[in-house]
């Protein structure tokens, strides 16, 4: 059974059906558009992050240190006021020392897959054309554990490198520039002067022009020999079952092994902050719709307060307290907000379904794909919370005014 | 003599402003159970203002009010509302029924707010009150479907809903025809005589005032005589 105050509030709203319906429509539209836009924006953000997470290592150990190494005197007198000047780092061969031991240590952790990479610059030559590329030496059997490059193969496969260590995988854009095709041989020259001929075993297309033009993949041992860095790797890349653990895990790895360890979140900090800015803009814009709708509610409740001054005085003379009166008018706001949400959510879901029918061809995808829509409950909860909050705020001022009315002033006027 | 239902001492109400207006000045009175008191006087003499003070709807500028022996001057608004809810019933010149609620629902409102009775008990008592005032067939009707006399009787039923000892009526017959007026007058007098309520009525009607146990005559905010 409906309570006393909600009952009075409902009667007030039903007595002004047309105005109540108009303000209700505002909330319904506001909730629906809020939901549709925010779920589209959230969906695109999720899609973007998923691509980011899928296409980049979750953690990368680099062959460098985040801070310069401490000098022995600084370690000895850690609390002393020491200033060491003109320190010249030792000349040493770049690369991660004892990377097989580090890998062994990493692989003891569950839900983590790691593989070494030796990346260096090289020149790919064919038919008189030379193009500088980044040559990535990887262990072919482990590539699919730590990289999604296989998903972008348009010819051949990464596995072919296992059978033929003298193979290479190129981006299709690079192959086009050099007029190369699958199965043809290409000459790769390292900065060391070493030259090796590789057979093209695969072509990939990621849709990112820079990547497709410059990245190449070959067997780790061959690349180590070509770059004259035997038994060296300059990067260890990792994938995690839960990418969101990357930040914490990277810190632990860096503390344990000393080498700079970068999570995908750190590597893409600028993009993540851009997404935050984009979300603020989006929520500001879609909230404006609900704020406008809230003015409709304010208008209706204010009118009811104005019209019901005599009833307010009577209720107070009966013994209703000021807070009872405030509750009656706040409940009107809540009722409109609740009804608006209840109708707006299915309407918004309909809009979301409509948006999903729109298909666009994104770079890197061979077929048109539907707009990414986030159907998770937080979108619905946020839209409802915004609507209820806006409705409650809209009811607050008139409710306070109603509660503060002095019954005697009204009763005198009424007579 | 039994304890007064309502008693005042030196009750004064002034409205502050550029020119201070005195609505009621130095009013002292006591109304006991079973008494029917009429407040008479010219328009603007302070009758309604005194009634609002007696009903704890307005606060005196000075002076004190005891309701059933409890001093009310220092009470907060919520406490005063609580006293009104259980202890005072108002009837106004214009019935002031809530237009969206049926006659029955209007009578149920004070009981629902008080919360002493269950919902079926509230409905049963409201129906009983309406029946006792000859409105059995009108319970489901909205105020706009009732005549002036019927509406005023519903307002009386509403005032009696929480069984208050004090009934305050401000020109309850001022807007009614002769027959309805006589009916309302009889009901209010019966409440005092048969049901031991203290009834205070503001009226211009000399016959109505003449029928009262006491008549308080007001002029310029002061009680001039009884």
């Amino acid at each position: 059974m409906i309570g006393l105050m909600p009952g009075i509030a409902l009667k007030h709203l039903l007595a002004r059906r047309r105005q109540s319906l108009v303000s209700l429509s505002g909330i319904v539209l506001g909730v629906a558009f809020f939901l549709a836009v925010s779920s589209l924006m959230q969906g695109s953000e999720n899609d973007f992050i998923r691509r980011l997470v899928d296409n980049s290592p979750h953690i990368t150990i680099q062959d460098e240190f985040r801070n310069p190494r401490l000098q022995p005197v600084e370690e000895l007198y850690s609390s002393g006021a020491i200033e060491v000047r003109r320190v010249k780092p030792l000349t040493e061969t770049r690369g991660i020392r004892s990377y097989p031991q580090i890998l062994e240590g990493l692989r003891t952790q569950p839900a983590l897959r790691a593989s070494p990479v030796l990346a260096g610059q090289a020149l790919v030559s064919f038919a008189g054309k030379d193009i500088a590329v980044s040559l990535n030496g990887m262990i072919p059997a482990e590539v699919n554990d730590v990289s999604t490059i296989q998903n972008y193969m348009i010819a051949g496969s990464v596995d072919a490198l296992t059978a033929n260590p003298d193979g290479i995988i190129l981006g299709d854009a690079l192959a086009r520039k050099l007029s190369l095709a699958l199965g043809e041989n290409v000459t790769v020259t390292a900065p060391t002067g070493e030259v090796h001929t590789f057979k093209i075993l695969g072509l990939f297309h990621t849709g990112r022009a820079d990547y497709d033009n410059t990245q190449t993949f070959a067997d780790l041992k061959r690349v180590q020999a070509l770059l004259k860095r035997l038994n060296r790797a300059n990067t260890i890349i990792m994938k995690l079952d839960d990418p969101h653990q990357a930040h914490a895990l990277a810190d632990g790895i860096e503390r344990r092994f000393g080498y700079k360890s970068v999570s995908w979140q750190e590597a893409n900090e600028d993009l993540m902050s851009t997404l935050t800015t984009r979300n603020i803009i989006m929520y500001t814009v879609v909230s404006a719709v609900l704020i406008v709708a809230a003015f409709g509610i304010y208008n209706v409740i204010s009118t009811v307060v104005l019209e019901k001054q005599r009833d307010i005085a009577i209720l107070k003379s009966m013994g209703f307290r000021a807070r009872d009166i405030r509750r009656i008018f706040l409940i009107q706001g809540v009722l409109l907000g609740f009804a608006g949400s209840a109708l707006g959510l299915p309407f918004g879901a309909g809009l979301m379904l409509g948006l999903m029918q729109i298909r666009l061809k994104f770079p890197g995808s061979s077929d048109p794909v539907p707009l990414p829509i986030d159907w998770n409950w937080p979108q619905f909860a946020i839209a409802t919370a915004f609507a209820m909050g806006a409705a409650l705020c809209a009811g607050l001022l008139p409710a306070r005014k109603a509660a503060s009315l002095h019954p005697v002033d009204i009763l005198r006027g009424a007579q | 003599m039994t304890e007064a239902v309502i008693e005042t001492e030196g009750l004064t109400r002034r409205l502050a402003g550029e020119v201070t207006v005195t609505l009621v000045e130095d009013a002292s009175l006591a109304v006991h159970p079973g008494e029917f008191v009429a407040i008479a006087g010219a328009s603007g003499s302070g009758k309604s203002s005194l009634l609002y003070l007696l009903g704890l709807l307005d606060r005196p500028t000075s002076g004190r009010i005891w309701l059933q022996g409890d001093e009310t001057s220092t009470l907060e608004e919520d406490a005063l509302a609580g006293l009104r809810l259980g202890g005072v019933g108002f009837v106004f010149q214009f019935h002031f029924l809530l237009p969206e609620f049926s006659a029955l629902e209007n009578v149920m409102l004070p009981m629902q707010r008080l919360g002493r009775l269950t919902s079926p008990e509230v409905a049963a008592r409201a129906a009983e009150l309406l029946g006792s005032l000859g409105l059995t067939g009108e319970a489901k009707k909205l105020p706009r479907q009732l005549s002036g006399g019927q509406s005023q009787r519903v307002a009386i039923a509403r005032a009696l809903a929480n069984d208050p000892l004090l009934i305050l009526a401000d020109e309850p017959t001022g807007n009614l025809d002769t027959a309805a007026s006589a009916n309302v007058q009889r009901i209010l007098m019966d409440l005092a005589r048969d049901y031991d309520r203290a009834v205070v009525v503001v009226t211009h009607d000399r016959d109505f005032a003449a029928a009262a146990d006491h008549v308080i005559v007001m002029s310029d905010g002061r009680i001039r005589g009884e």
Side-chain angles (χ1 to χ4, degrees), chain A residues 242-260:
Chain A
D242 179 6
H244 297 287
Q245 297 295 322
H247 202 70
L249 211 54
D251 284 348
I253 290 169
E254 185 165 322
R255 275 199 301 276
R256 183 174 170 193
F257 299 111
Y259 287 107
K260 187 177 177 182

Side-chain angles (χ1 to χ4, degrees), chain A residues 316-356:
Chain A
K316 281 193 165 182
S317 75
M318 276 185 214
F320 281 63
R321 295 164 300 182
R323 63 169 174 268
D324 297 328
I325 305 297
R326 190 163 46 240
R327 270 183 65 199
I328 289 171
F329 291 96
L330 272 180
I331 288 170
Q332 291 182 28
V334 170
L335 284 174
L336 285 171
F338 183 77
S341 302
L343 296 169
L345 291 180
F347 186 31
L351 284 178
M352 287 158 70
L353 280 172
L355 284 172
M356 282 184 74

Side-chain angles (χ1 to χ4, degrees), chain B:
Chain B
M1 193 162 182
T2 53
E3 185 186 52
V5 175
I6 186 104
E7 188 173 356
T8 70
E9 183 186 85
L11 212 54
T12 299
R13 176 70 170 110
R14 293 196 176 90
L15 290 181
E18 280 184 29
V19 179
T20 302
V21 178
T22 302
L23 300 173
V24 177
E25 189 160 18
D26 196 25
S28 299
L29 58 91
V31 186
H32 295 87
E35 269 191 311
F36 184 92
V37 176
I39 303 176
S43 292
S45 59
K47 305 185 297 293
S48 295
S49 298
L50 177 61
L51 198 78
Y52 297 147
L53 287 169
L54 295 179
L56 311 178
L57 271 180
D58 202 5
R59 280 181 179 277
T61 310
S62 63
R64 295 194 289 177
I65 305 171
W66 290 267
L67 183 68
Q68 292 169 56
D70 295 327
E71 224 260 280
T72 61
S73 316
T74 54
L75 295 178
E76 298 287 326
E77 284 299 328
D78 280 359
L80 292 177
L83 288 179
R84 281 199 300 275
L85 185 63
V88 183
F90 274 100
V91 181
F92 299 95
Q93 179 180 0
F94 302 96
H95 55 77
F96 288 164
L97 298 176
L98 302 192
E100 300 87 6
F101 291 78
S102 68
L104 187 77
E105 288 168 333
N106 264 285
V107 180
M108 287 167 68
L109 278 172
M111 291 185 273
Q112 288 174 311
R113 176 63 196 85
L114 189 63
R116 276 192 199 144
L117 302 176
T118 62
S119 294
E121 286 169 341
V122 166
R125 175 163 167 75
E128 184 191 324
L129 281 167
L130 287 174
S132 69
L133 294 169
L135 294 164
T136 306
E138 326 301 328
K140 300 284 180 194
K141 288 184 179 171
L142 292 172
R144 66 169 180 272
Q145 297 167 309
L146 300 172
S147 69
Q150 287 173 328
S151 296
Q152 198 60 296
R153 278 185 280 154
V154 174
I156 292 171
R158 186 177 65 184
L160 295 172
N162 284 334
D163 205 15
L165 280 178
L166 178 63
I167 308 291
L168 302 173
D170 191 3
E171 308 262 13
T173 58
N175 202 35
L176 302 178
D177 60 36
T178 312
S181 177
N183 193 17
V184 167
Q185 183 180 331
R186 184 186 52 75
I187 291 166
L188 289 172
M189 293 177 78
D190 287 350
L191 283 172
R193 278 153 201 176
D194 300 340
Y195 296 95
D196 220 22
R197 303 293 206 288
V199 179
V200 181
V201 178
V202 166
T203 183
H204 275 113
D205 185 336
R206 289 185 180 188
D207 294 338
F208 195 176
D213 299 325
H214 300 288
V215 180
I216 295 171
V217 181
M218 291 195 73
S219 168
D220 297 330
R222 284 182 169 273
I223 296 176
R224 299 294 181 187
E226 291 192 32

Side-chain angles (χ1 to χ4, degrees), chain A residues 178-296:
Chain A
L178 293 169
S179 306
L180 286 165
L182 191 71
E184 290 186 313
N185 290 328
V186 65
T187 304
V188 178
T189 308
T192 56
E194 288 288 315
V195 178
H196 193 87
T197 301
F198 288 94
K199 184 176 183 180
I200 299 171
L201 298 179
L203 295 172
F204 61 83
H205 175 81
T206 64
R208 286 173 286 157
D210 182 51
Y211 198 89
D212 294 344
N213 273 307
T214 60
Q215 297 297 315
T216 62
F217 298 91
D219 179 72
L220 178 63
K221 295 281 181 200
R222 289 289 180 277
V223 174
Q224 285 172 335
L226 192 63
L227 299 176
K228 287 192 174 165
R229 293 164 78 175
L230 295 176
N231 299 317
R232 288 275 179 169
N234 53 13
T235 310
I236 294 174
I237 59 176
M238 281 167 263
K239 284 275 188 190
L240 309 176
D241 285 355
D242 179 6
H244 297 287
Q245 297 295 322
H247 202 70
L249 211 54
D251 284 348
I253 290 169
E254 185 165 322
R255 275 199 301 276
R256 183 174 170 193
F257 299 111
Y259 287 107
K260 187 177 177 182
S261 182
V262 179
S263 65
W264 66 269
Q265 291 102 324
E266 186 187 349
N268 297 289
E269 248 171 16
D270 53 341
L271 284 173
M272 302 302 277
S273 66
T274 306
L275 287 177
T276 306
T277 310
R278 193 186 75 142
N279 279 344
I280 291 170
I281 294 169
M282 178 269 290
Y283 279 117
T284 306
V285 171
V286 291
S287 300
V289 180
L290 277 172
I291 289 168
V292 171
F295 276 108

